[in-house]
Amino acid sequence: QAASSSSGGCPLRKWLGPAAGLVFNPKGHLSCPPAIVAARAALASTAPVRQLRPQQLHVKLAAVAAIAAAVNVPCGAARE
């Protein structure tokens, strides 16, 4: 790893292959796609996210797990 970071190459760039252009900007730094940045900004401005910000990590993880479980419930199971 030390050799790749000293020469300016990133092991992640090699692993991503052709998709590296989506993750890395022309200077070689990591960058998020504009759609991800916009989605994060929209979520950060909501009241539930602002209320979770000062909470402890285990509370945040429980909230994320609950939201993920609720979103992944199939529509048919929710009706029954």
Side-chain angles (χ1 to χ4, degrees):
Q1 279 186 2
S4 65
S5 63
S6 64
S7 64
C10 177
L12 183 61
R13 183 181 287 266
K14 292 179 197 171
W15 183 74
L16 289 174
L22 298 172
V23 178
F24 290 97
N25 64 16
K27 294 181 181 180
H29 298 105
L30 289 173
S31 63
C32 286
I36 301 294
V37 173
R40 290 185 67 188
L43 276 174
S45 65
T46 62
V49 172
R50 284 183 289 172
Q51 290 171 352
L52 272 176
R53 207 171 280 142
Q55 302 299 324
Q56 293 182 358
L57 182 59
H58 64 85
V59 174
K60 293 178 188 180
L61 292 175
V64 169
I67 291 169
V71 169
N72 285 321
V73 171
C75 293
R79 280 184 276 153
E80 292 182 26

